[in-house]
Amino acid sequence: MIPHRRRSVFVRLALLTAGVVTVASLAWGPAPWNDDGRNPDPPPVRPTAPGPTPAPPQASAPADPDGQRPAFGAFLDSEAAGIARMQQFSRWLGGTEVRVAHTYLPGDVWSNIEGGHGFLDGWAEWRRAKADRMLVLNVPLMEHNEAEVSDTAVRRLLRRAAAGAYDEHFRVLAQRLVDLGATDTILVLGWEMNGTTYTHRCGPDPEDWKTYWRRIVTVMRSVPGQKFRFDFAPTRGADAIPWPECYPGDDVVDIVGMDSYDQPHGMSFDEQISEPYGLQFHVDFAREHHKPISYPEWGMFRNGDDSVYMLRMLDWMNEHRPLYNTLTDYCPHGVWQCTGNPRASAVYRAVMSTVPAPQPTPGPTAPVPPVPARSPTSPAH
């Protein structure tokens, strides 16, 4: 049986989807999934023909048992624009406080992976402004990280990395974060390591990859004043290698994350839960290892403007209580800067907004005609 608290949340979300998504489709109409436009403020709802208006559900974000909103945010841009947009994103959500900032260090050259050239200054300033904020920083583990490097070359790089060739780069990064006062940054090291996209992938040599992760964490923890947390975040599913084969050990992992987009095409949310190394496996794995979970990247993808995915993902996170989640907010994944997902956007905005949906204005009520008397009938067989 579904516990009462979760059942009530799911019912509220289901009702919200039925009402809000209908409004979204009337207001915005269909839009292509690959539209790269931005939608800081959605267009006004077009007037419709008069008729009976059902009362819309109250829209509110899932709440923690202690009354605190779960920590959430969105990736809005890697550099200073991402910081500026956070306040606009909050306004779009009716003033909901966005507690998590998420950005990525450039993976082109080592000096950028070290956080050089003032890249981290604004993010650290944002983090220091309020005690309950979180800064999530994705850290590439190799330079030329999106250069389509061959497996053979990756093996050579991982062999050097496991021997300590790149330790100093991470010592510099750790010291820079401490000097800026971002001492409790959550570091997503080598994200989506189970795939094929990045030079920092695990598949070509899992053992050296794990040794490399352990070296990085050891080096960064050695810097005085740090309170970093390290997030191990594969992509959902098996991908190129089962991601548990890349897990470097409980002593060097603080959070077990997962990047989970609405893909592949045609896969239902139930299948995303039950697939090998999917959402349920992730939750169970983290529980077995006594770690909190996170969702550093999530959003729409191969299935287009999927309001059901949005509904189910929000409910999944409400049930399983990740330490934080950050939606990827650009097309085709996003809800605010992307105009391609109006229905999913409407669900996200209504659920996460602090402002409840408006109640309809009462109007004159038509008299109810009397119900005619009916003769008794024989019971149905």
Side-chain angles (χ1 to χ4, degrees):
M1 180 180 291
I2 300 173
H4 175 72
R5 178 186 64 81
R6 180 170 180 269
R7 182 172 64 246
S8 64
V9 169
F10 185 81
V11 169
R12 185 173 73 244
L13 290 174
L15 290 172
L16 180 150
T17 301
V20 173
V21 172
T22 300
V23 172
S25 63
L26 290 172
W28 299 333
W33 70 267
N34 60 349
D35 183 348
D36 63 357
R38 289 180 179 165
N39 182 35
D41 291 297
V45 177
R46 295 175 186 144
T48 57
T53 304
Q58 292 292 318
S60 58
D64 279 331
D66 62 0
Q68 296 298 310
R69 180 184 298 275
F72 79 99
F75 171 69
L76 302 170
D77 193 274
S78 291
E79 302 189 51
I83 305 169
R85 288 173 188 155
M86 290 183 66
Q87 187 174 8
Q88 300 167 41
F89 186 62
S90 176
R91 286 200 300 267
W92 180 71
L93 292 174
T96 302
E97 184 177 7
V98 179
R99 290 177 48 207
V100 188
H102 184 195
T103 190
Y104 297 72
L105 288 168
D108 50 354
V109 294
W110 280 115
S111 62
N112 284 330
I113 297 173
E114 293 171 353
H117 315 293
F119 181 90
L120 293 168
D121 294 22
W123 296 100
E125 182 180 2
W126 178 91
R127 167 62 193 93
R128 295 194 310 267
K130 286 193 176 183
D132 65 345
R133 287 178 171 175
M134 297 181 187
L135 174 58
V136 176
L137 182 64
N138 276 46
V139 181
L141 304 190
M142 296 287 182
E143 63 178 351
H144 312 303
N145 199 39
E146 297 184 48
E148 299 183 4
V149 177
S150 70
D151 283 355
T152 299
V154 169
R155 288 188 197 96
R156 287 198 298 267
L157 291 168
L158 288 174
R159 190 176 308 120
R160 296 191 67 219
Y166 309 127
D167 287 5
E168 186 59 24
H169 300 299
F170 297 95
R171 193 185 317 278
V172 171
L173 172 61
Q175 189 64 61
R176 185 164 276 136
L177 286 166
V178 169
D179 291 345
L180 290 170
T183 56
D184 59 355
T185 299
I186 294 172
L187 299 156
V188 187
L189 301 180
W191 69 99
E192 299 184 8
M193 75 299 293
N194 56 324
T196 60
T197 302
Y198 300 109
T199 306
H200 67 214
R201 61 190 182 271
C202 165
D205 191 336
E207 293 307 313
D208 276 348
W209 192 93
K210 290 185 284 189
T211 300
Y212 184 29
W213 173 290
R214 298 184 66 84
R215 292 195 70 97
I216 292 168
V217 172
T218 300
V219 165
M220 296 191 77
R221 284 178 175 169
S222 71
V223 173
Q226 66 80 32
K227 295 178 285 187
F228 303 134
R229 285 179 285 183
F230 296 91
D231 193 338
F232 171 84
T235 189
R236 194 196 73 240
D239 215 323
I241 182 175
W243 55 260
E245 295 184 23
C246 306
Y247 187 71
D250 289 344
D251 57 327
V252 289
V253 171
D254 299 297
I255 306 159
V256 178
M258 176 166 280
D259 290 356
S260 184
Y261 292 99
D262 187 19
Q263 64 172 341
H265 179 72
M267 177 177 276
S268 71
F269 195 81
D270 285 334
E271 291 171 311
Q272 294 178 29
I273 292 173
S274 62
E275 69 174 320
Y277 313 108
L279 290 170
Q280 188 63 57
F281 186 96
H282 169 232
V283 168
D284 293 342
F285 182 93
R287 184 181 301 115
E288 290 167 5
H289 291 262
H290 308 288
K291 305 293 181 184
I293 62 171
S294 72
Y295 297 100
E297 294 185 28
W298 67 280
M300 281 62 66
F301 198 9
R302 303 292 184 189
N303 295 305
D305 183 14
D306 188 349
S307 59
V308 173
Y309 165 83
M310 178 58 69
L311 168 74
R312 295 290 304 277
M313 190 66 182
L314 289 171
D315 187 60
W316 178 265
M317 291 188 290
N318 183 66
E319 178 185 2
H320 294 289
R321 321 310 292 169
L323 179 67
Y324 71 90
N325 80 80
T326 45
L327 182 138
T328 300
D329 193 59
Y330 58 81
C331 284
H333 313 300
V335 296
W336 176 56
Q337 299 183 96
C338 177
T339 61
N341 299 308
R343 296 168 182 81
S345 175
V347 173
Y348 183 90
R349 189 184 190 195
V351 173
M352 304 307 289
S353 176
T354 56
V355 179
Q359 295 298 317
T361 303
T365 304
V368 179
V371 179
R374 300 180 63 187
S375 57
T377 56
S378 301
H381 293 284

